[in-house]
Amino acid sequence: NGLDARAKSGWGSPILKTDGAFPVVRFDGNDGMVVYDLSDPNDQAIFLDPEDPNAVGPLDLTNYTIYVVGKLNQTLNTSQVFFANYNASRGYGLGISDSLPDYVKFWTNAGGEMRSGGPLEADRYYLMVATITNTAGKKLTVNDCVEDDSNGLSSYTKTTAATVGALAGGTQFLKGDIAEIRVYDGFIQATHDGVVNELVSKYGLNRECLGGPSLDQVALTALTFFGTTSTGSVRLEARWNTFWQDAAWDIVLASGSIAELAAIPDPNDIPILNIHDNMNIYVQMEKGQDYTFTWVNPTSVIPQGENYGMNFYFDSAEKLGKPHGISVFGNVTDPGENPEAFQANSATTMGYPITDVPGAGTLIYKDYVKGLAVTLTPWVVYHPDVFNVDFVTGNNDVTHALSDDGKIKPDGKTDFIGQFTLSVDSYTPNCKDDLIPMGGKYYFMDVNQDCYVDLEDVAEFAQDWLRCNDPANPLCE
């Protein structure tokens, strides 16, 4: 009674087991009968029950569909992984992007990273769906809208464990909110439709598509700071950036002017903008606003009269393979001096995280899609002896510039300190400064060279024509 026979691939014959603590019978490959006594701990049957999830190894799916109902993590700049299966080369991950911290990402090691077409709002649940099909179709869906659809697969070993709700490659649990995760083997449209309908109803989700990035915002997402020659070329012995895991020392960025920070009674209350884990920054700025920042760098003694430069990256350009938007350099302001003049840099500068790249040659970053311009106004770097602050520690990829809770970490040495202001305004591309340098050309009869042929050109032509219209007159031009 109660005998249960099931075929199991690899055994060569059925596995036979009982429902209670009775002997287990198995036929080996030679049709011999082997009996195991379950009452004897030293004589246990070795078999896999396909109905027991604890009796099988980690998820080993070639084709899969992952459904996550979750909220955006409140902490920006931290890669938020809802579900993943990583090995040394990483297999796949579904969560929040670490390059665009409020966008959904779906990463596979064969196909790269997909991102949603727009950001998520805090305090709202979203349905995020990642799919890999047996035809190498890769799809990212948010709510009930396909955000991206291309090709890609996941490659990982069978011995890697899947992680749920983890940060930093699975070493930390996230601070966000996961309501439910489901994983399906493969993709069936009817099943998918049913799951979406159920989850939307269960959690009161909407089916609207993400609205795309805000046209009134731009984010400051990375900085590099470096010593330069008198003409702006980078000096390799003096380099810093907003990234921890590399050879360059770190830039610690804070919101507010040096005077405002100096007025804070407890230095641990200084509003540091870096995320401790990776020292990245992601500072959203609104159109029509000015923003002043102070940066502090760990350093050794700086000779007087040196030149320094800085590159500014916006909207995750440093992670999306796009160039920096502003390059500046100038002479360090020594004790007893007024702030030194600064200028745009077109020389060889320090790219992100440590590369040699041409300077942007401008103090204005222009986003033609958003119709925004970010202008660098005051920029000054002070010799350490001017303010004598000690906020951070000389660091590398082992020693961190900040304390474990992201606060100051003095090391007994004065730090580099500097200040800059960014102004965000509306911008309309103009002909001479934007369109022509980007490869445009003047149309025939564009008399006033504004890249349009209109009544203004006719008026200017007519005015000049009336001034002299006799081609036989040698004085008539």
Side-chain angles (χ1 to χ4, degrees):
N1 289 331
L3 205 61
D4 186 9
R6 300 175 185 176
K8 179 64 178 178
S9 174
W11 284 81
S13 55
I15 307 166
L16 303 179
K17 75 170 189 176
T18 64
D19 292 338
F22 298 98
V24 172
V25 180
R26 177 175 66 83
F27 292 97
D28 64 19
N30 298 318
D31 289 333
M33 187 175 71
V34 181
V35 178
Y36 295 94
D37 183 359
L38 291 183
S39 64
D40 182 356
N42 297 313
D43 191 13
Q44 293 293 322
I46 302 174
F47 63 88
L48 298 179
D49 182 352
E51 291 184 355
D52 182 2
N54 297 309
V56 297
L59 290 173
D60 179 27
L61 302 178
T62 304
N63 313 309
Y64 53 82
T65 307
I66 303 169
Y67 299 86
V68 173
V69 179
K71 286 183 181 179
L72 175 68
N73 192 341
Q74 296 295 320
T75 303
L76 293 177
N77 296 314
T78 303
S79 179
Q80 183 173 340
V81 181
F82 290 126
F83 193 91
N85 195 334
Y86 288 164
N87 66 354
S89 61
R90 300 174 63 189
Y92 61 81
L94 173 64
I96 306 299
S97 174
D98 49 4
S99 56
L100 293 172
D102 47 359
Y103 284 65
V104 182
K105 74 172 181 181
F106 174 32
W107 192 95
T108 61
N109 55 358
E113 182 172 311
M114 289 177 165
R115 294 185 182 90
S116 60
L120 306 183
E121 299 176 11
D123 301 321
R124 278 186 58 187
Y125 279 113
Y126 290 86
L127 172 61
M128 306 163 214
V129 185
T131 305
I132 293 289
T133 66
N134 55 10
T135 58
K138 179 179 175 181
K139 186 180 298 184
L140 171 64
T141 304
V142 179
N143 294 341
D144 200 13
C145 298
V146 176
E147 295 286 316
D148 203 349
D149 190 355
S150 62
N151 291 327
L153 294 170
S154 300
S155 177
Y156 48 90
T157 68
K158 296 180 180 180
T159 59
T160 57
T163 64
V164 176
L167 300 174
T171 60
Q172 304 170 17
F173 288 105
L174 65 87
K175 302 173 184 177
D177 186 350
I178 297 176
E180 185 167 336
I181 295 178
R182 297 188 187 184
V183 184
Y184 287 76
D185 187 355
F187 177 84
I188 300 174
Q189 186 66 51
T191 303
H192 169 76
D193 293 341
V195 172
V196 170
N197 290 337
E198 179 187 352
L199 293 176
V200 166
S201 176
K202 182 176 181 179
Y203 294 101
L205 308 176
N206 59 50
R207 298 176 181 268
E208 66 186 22
C209 299
L210 299 176
S214 171
L215 300 182
D216 295 329
Q217 292 181 334
V218 60
L220 174 65
T221 55
L223 296 170
T224 62
F225 178 68
F226 45 93
T228 76
T229 64
S230 59
T231 58
S233 295
V234 63
R235 292 186 285 114
L236 302 183
E237 73 277 9
R239 296 183 293 189
W240 299 259
N241 60 23
T242 50
F243 184 63
W244 186 53
Q245 293 92 346
D246 64 5
W249 283 8
D250 295 337
I251 297 174
V252 177
L253 188 68
S255 177
S257 66
I258 296 176
E260 290 171 333
L261 300 187
I264 298 175
D266 184 353
N268 285 294
D269 293 334
I270 290 175
I272 293 173
L273 299 172
N274 305 76
I275 296 301
H276 179 273
D277 289 348
N278 52 27
M279 292 301 291
N280 286 350
I281 57 175
Y282 194 88
V283 184
Q284 286 281 22
M285 300 182 293
E286 298 281 345
K287 180 174 66 176
Q289 302 295 319
D290 298 336
Y291 297 86
T292 298
F293 302 94
T294 296
W295 84 90
V296 182
N297 301 338
T299 184
S300 54
V301 177
I302 301 299
Q304 295 187 350
E306 295 282 9
N307 291 281
Y308 291 85
M310 181 172 279
N311 281 341
F312 294 72
Y313 291 80
F314 300 96
D315 286 345
S316 300
E318 75 284 356
K319 294 186 176 71
L320 300 177
K322 298 180 180 180
H324 46 284
I326 291 176
S327 296
V328 62
F329 84 105
N331 195 263
V332 65
T333 298
D334 291 320
E337 295 181 343
N338 292 321
E340 296 282 347
F342 61 93
Q343 58 184 305
N345 196 349
S346 299
T348 300
T349 63
M350 177 186 174
Y352 184 90
I354 308 178
T355 56
D356 291 340
V357 295
T362 179
L363 302 178
I364 304 175
Y365 166 69
K366 302 170 183 176
D367 188 323
Y368 302 121
V369 175
K370 293 182 178 179
L372 295 177
V374 181
T375 303
L376 178 67
T377 48
W379 182 86
V380 60
V381 52
Y382 293 99
H383 189 279
D385 293 342
V386 174
F387 291 98
N388 292 306
V389 299
D390 179 16
F391 289 159
V392 296
T393 295
N395 57 83
N396 48 42
D397 57 353
V398 176
T399 304
H400 205 287
L402 297 172
S403 63
D404 290 341
D405 58 357
K407 303 296 184 179
I408 68 168
K409 186 182 179 183
D411 63 353
K413 299 178 182 179
T414 54
D415 302 321
F416 241 150
I417 193 168
Q419 181 179 309
F420 62 85
T421 298
L422 296 173
S423 300
V424 185
D425 299 292
S426 299
Y427 187 76
T428 301
N430 66 68
C431 183
K432 180 180 178 181
D433 297 331
D434 301 311
L435 302 181
I436 297 302
M438 288 191 297
K441 61 182 180 179
Y442 296 117
Y443 291 100
F444 181 69
M445 286 301 295
D446 184 6
V447 178
N448 61 4
Q449 294 193 335
D450 65 353
C451 291
Y452 292 93
V453 176
D454 51 22
L455 290 177
E456 292 182 3
D457 298 294
V458 175
E460 191 165 324
F461 172 77
Q463 184 181 19
D464 198 55
W465 174 262
L466 293 173
R467 192 176 296 122
C468 182
N469 58 12
D470 184 1
N473 183 352
L475 301 179
C476 182
E477 297 183 359

